[in-house]
Amino acid sequence: MQLSARNQIPATVTSINAGEANANIELDAAGVRLVASITVEAVRQLGLAEGSHVTAVIKASDVIIATGD
Protein backbone atom coordinates (compact mmCIF):
# COMPACT_ATOMS: atom_id res chain seq x y z
CA MET A 1 0.00 0.00 0.00
CA GLN A 2 1.26 3.47 -0.83
CA LEU A 3 0.31 6.47 1.31
CA SER A 4 0.72 10.20 0.92
CA ALA A 5 1.60 10.54 4.62
CA ARG A 6 5.36 11.05 4.96
CA ASN A 7 5.66 10.24 8.65
CA GLN A 8 5.85 6.45 8.43
CA ILE A 9 7.74 4.92 11.34
CA PRO A 10 8.58 1.20 11.54
CA ALA A 11 7.87 -0.17 15.00
CA THR A 12 7.21 -3.28 17.05
CA VAL A 13 4.14 -3.77 19.25
CA THR A 14 5.30 -4.09 22.86
CA SER A 15 1.90 -4.25 24.59
CA ILE A 16 -1.81 -4.05 23.96
CA ASN A 17 -4.07 -2.66 26.68
CA ALA A 18 -7.63 -3.30 25.52
CA GLY A 19 -10.79 -1.86 27.01
CA GLU A 20 -14.35 -2.51 25.88
CA ALA A 21 -14.20 -0.40 22.72
CA ASN A 22 -10.67 1.05 22.41
CA ALA A 23 -7.16 -0.26 22.89
CA ASN A 24 -3.86 1.49 23.58
CA ILE A 25 -1.14 -0.07 21.47
CA GLU A 26 2.37 0.58 22.78
CA LEU A 27 5.11 0.56 20.17
CA ASP A 28 8.89 0.51 20.21
CA ALA A 29 10.21 2.59 17.31
CA ALA A 30 14.01 2.20 17.49
CA GLY A 31 13.98 2.83 21.23
CA VAL A 32 11.28 5.53 21.16
CA ARG A 33 7.97 4.68 22.83
CA LEU A 34 4.84 5.52 20.83
CA VAL A 35 1.24 4.87 21.87
CA ALA A 36 -1.65 4.59 19.43
CA SER A 37 -5.31 4.47 20.47
CA ILE A 38 -7.37 2.35 18.08
CA THR A 39 -10.57 0.33 18.29
CA VAL A 40 -10.54 -3.21 19.64
CA GLU A 41 -12.15 -4.23 16.35
CA ALA A 42 -9.14 -2.79 14.46
CA VAL A 43 -6.77 -4.76 16.72
CA ARG A 44 -8.61 -7.95 15.76
CA GLN A 45 -8.84 -7.10 12.05
CA LEU A 46 -5.12 -6.29 11.86
CA GLY A 47 -4.19 -9.40 13.84
CA LEU A 48 -2.07 -7.35 16.23
CA ALA A 49 -0.19 -9.06 19.05
CA GLU A 50 2.91 -8.34 21.09
CA GLY A 51 5.89 -8.65 18.77
CA SER A 52 3.96 -7.67 15.62
CA HIS A 53 5.98 -5.54 13.22
CA VAL A 54 3.94 -2.54 12.12
CA THR A 55 4.30 0.89 10.57
CA ALA A 56 3.02 3.86 12.58
CA VAL A 57 1.60 6.38 10.12
CA ILE A 58 1.30 9.86 11.62
CA LYS A 59 -0.81 12.46 9.85
CA ALA A 60 -1.43 15.45 12.08
CA SER A 61 -2.41 19.04 11.49
CA ASP A 62 -0.44 20.23 14.53
CA VAL A 63 2.90 19.35 16.04
CA ILE A 64 3.71 21.08 19.31
CA ILE A 65 7.33 21.64 20.36
CA ALA A 66 8.28 22.46 23.95
CA THR A 67 11.51 23.37 25.68
CA GLY A 68 12.53 23.30 29.33
CA ASP A 69 12.43 27.13 29.64
Side-chain angles (χ1 to χ4, degrees):
M1 171 183 354
Q2 293 183 345
L3 299 173
S4 62
R6 295 295 169 228
N7 298 315
Q8 298 181 30
I9 303 167
T12 302
V13 175
T14 56
S15 74
I16 299 173
N17 301 306
E20 288 188 36
N22 293 318
N24 286 336
I25 311 302
E26 293 190 25
L27 306 172
D28 177 5
V32 175
R33 180 179 171 263
L34 300 174
V35 179
S37 293
I38 64 174
T39 65
V40 171
E41 181 181 7
V43 172
R44 283 194 298 268
Q45 287 178 342
L46 293 170
L48 295 180
E50 287 186 22
S52 294
H53 296 284
V54 299
T55 301
V57 179
I58 301 169
K59 186 74 173 181
S61 59
D62 297 313
V63 176
I64 298 170
I65 305 296
T67 66
D69 297 315

